[in-house]
Amino acid sequence: MAGYRDLLRTRGVARIMTAQLAARFPNGMTSLAVLLHVERVTGSYAAAGLVLAATSIGQAVAGPVTSRWMGRWGMRPVLTLTLAVCALAIAGLALLPLPVPGYMALGLIAGLSTPPVQSAVRTIYPKMVTSRQLTPLFSLDASLQEIIWIVAPVVITFVATQIGTLEALLLIVAILVGGGSWFILSPEVGRVRIPRSRRGFGRVLLKAPVLLATVAGFLLIAACSAVEVGVVATFGHSGAAAGLVLAVFSVGSLAGGLTFGHIPIGPWAMARRLTIVAVGLALAVFALDVWWLGGTLFLAGIGIAPALAVIFAITSASVRFSETAEAYGWIGTGQLIGAAAGSAVAGFLIDGVGPQGAYVAAAGFAAVGVLVAVACVRGFPDLRERDASPIPDTEPVSTIT
């Protein structure tokens, strides 16, 4: 913890980290609020699911595109434009009486215009700290983002059920504008300029560490998403048990990130950390009472934030600075697709064999992640004696002869 205190004393780190958490806070609220609002307005969960699917598709498509735009037009212009469009689209969902296709169109626009805050801040981090501090910073970032997934769903569910779904969506707009503006106006966002990438769109995925990070993120988030569906199916929507078990899952991730974030990252780091996740999820299959699930999911959670830290660090260390934002955009897209896949597979298995099927799916996704990490271990860079900062961009220099 002393190391993290020193890290947070570094100029600007605590400010930018807090600002980006505030800017990303709506990420933990929007899906649930959209689902509850559209279901209330239309009376159909199927319609709400269609709108939510359109929103998710928009987010998945936009990730690498808007992230790459930041190298062309600058971070502040892209963040400001996407923030304004996204806020208007969510406000439209709240205020406009529309048929289902209209809600789907607004959901798609909201997804496409989701501000690329995550890509921006992880591009900024290497410019703020020393090479020795970068890996712990990625770990701290991965750990603290669990606050979003612990607090945000509770807040938005309370507002939606006790006050109203319209008010819940307008609260998201307010937090989106407030937190996004705070992040955009942070000095570090104006100080860091991403060079324009000279490589074709998507070519960054040809780098083995970026592709492995994207695949690992897909499998890890698919496992987490399957767990969420399984917990809700196990305990139902009423009562506090489901929320408490999911909170314990996130607290495990927070504890793991803070405890192991200082450990240097070698080629086997991803395999070891995903093994912790896979073992915890495999144990969860054997009993579905609240105490057993709480304990096993806490164990599984210990590996999540450290695994995410590996994803961020190996990506940063393997690409040119001009490619970092797009690379993180692709990783975000992989995670969004993983969330959808995990939920879908878990849902089918719950219908077929009951709630236990969701935990089998989660353990399966995590186990495949371990196998990929072991089989492709040579594709993971060794950062134990290396700087995790991006590769500097170089240009030909004109000389007079």
Side-chain angles (χ1 to χ4, degrees):
M1 295 306 296
Y4 290 123
R5 283 195 296 270
D6 292 340
L7 184 61
L8 291 173
R9 291 193 189 106
T10 302
R11 182 184 176 188
V13 168
R15 177 178 58 233
I16 196 71
M17 185 166 283
T18 307
Q20 64 94 14
L21 285 174
R24 291 168 55 204
F25 202 74
N27 293 356
M29 308 170 105
T30 303
S31 296
L32 190 53
V34 168
L35 183 72
L36 293 171
H37 180 71
V38 176
E39 189 278 330
R40 185 186 66 80
V41 172
T42 64
S44 168
Y45 274 107
L50 288 172
V51 176
L52 196 56
T55 305
S56 299
I57 290 169
Q59 291 173 329
V61 170
V65 176
T66 55
S67 297
R68 187 179 174 92
W69 284 355
M70 291 191 292
R72 178 175 296 182
W73 294 306
M75 279 194 278
R76 276 182 171 159
V78 172
L79 289 166
T80 301
L81 174 63
T82 53
L83 173 64
V85 174
C86 188
L88 288 172
I90 295 174
L93 282 169
L95 300 172
L96 298 177
L98 297 170
V100 172
Y103 285 126
M104 289 177 66
L106 283 177
L108 180 64
I109 293 170
L112 288 170
S113 58
T114 301
V117 173
Q118 185 168 261
S119 297
V121 75
R122 286 172 187 155
T123 301
I124 292 170
Y125 283 156
K127 299 297 182 182
M128 297 184 64
V129 298
T130 65
S131 59
R132 179 181 58 83
Q133 294 175 308
L134 189 54
T135 297
L137 179 56
F138 281 131
S139 183
L140 181 62
D141 178 88
S143 301
L144 292 182
Q145 74 178 7
E146 293 297 336
I147 295 171
I148 297 172
W149 308 112
I150 295 170
V151 178
V154 175
V155 171
I156 206 64
T157 301
F158 175 82
V159 174
T161 56
Q162 303 303 315
I163 302 174
T165 57
L166 184 150
E167 290 81 1
L169 286 172
L170 293 180
L171 174 63
I172 290 173
V173 173
I175 297 173
L176 181 67
V177 172
S181 299
W182 182 14
F183 179 74
I184 291 167
L185 295 173
S186 298
E188 294 76 17
V189 175
R191 200 176 293 142
V192 176
R193 176 73 173 89
I194 305 173
R196 183 169 178 171
S197 177
R198 289 170 170 76
R199 291 164 62 88
F201 178 70
R203 288 182 63 84
V204 71
L205 279 173
L206 297 177
K207 293 181 179 289
V210 178
L211 183 59
L212 287 171
T214 303
V215 172
F218 165 85
L219 293 167
L220 177 62
I221 300 305
C224 294
S225 184
V227 167
E228 291 170 3
V229 175
V231 169
V232 171
T234 301
F235 299 106
H237 294 275
S238 59
L244 288 172
V245 170
L246 289 175
V248 168
F249 190 36
S250 293
V251 168
S253 177
L254 178 63
L258 294 177
T259 304
F260 302 116
H262 65 285
I263 297 176
I265 293 173
W268 289 96
M270 180 64 78
R272 285 195 295 265
R273 298 174 192 207
L274 286 178
T275 297
I276 296 172
V277 180
V279 168
L281 296 180
L283 291 173
V285 173
F286 292 101
L288 301 186
D289 67 87
V290 65
W291 293 105
W292 179 260
L293 281 179
T296 55
L297 292 183
F298 181 85
L299 172 62
I302 287 173
I304 292 173
L308 288 170
V310 174
I311 289 171
F312 305 149
I314 66 172
T315 301
S316 174
S318 304
V319 299
R320 295 189 183 278
F321 183 62
S322 59
E323 299 172 320
T324 51
E326 183 188 343
Y328 286 125
W330 283 111
I331 289 169
T333 292
Q335 292 176 0
L336 283 167
I337 297 172
S343 297
V345 172
F348 280 115
L349 288 175
I350 288 168
D351 289 341
V353 301
Q356 228 160 4
Y359 304 103
V360 172
F365 280 118
V368 172
V370 174
L371 292 175
V372 170
V374 171
C376 303
V377 67
R378 293 187 178 182
F380 289 91
D382 189 347
L383 303 183
R384 288 172 294 185
E385 302 294 336
R386 266 189 60 191
D387 185 349
S389 299
I391 302 165
D393 285 88
T394 56
E395 297 179 330
V397 178
S398 299
T399 57
I400 299 174
T401 57

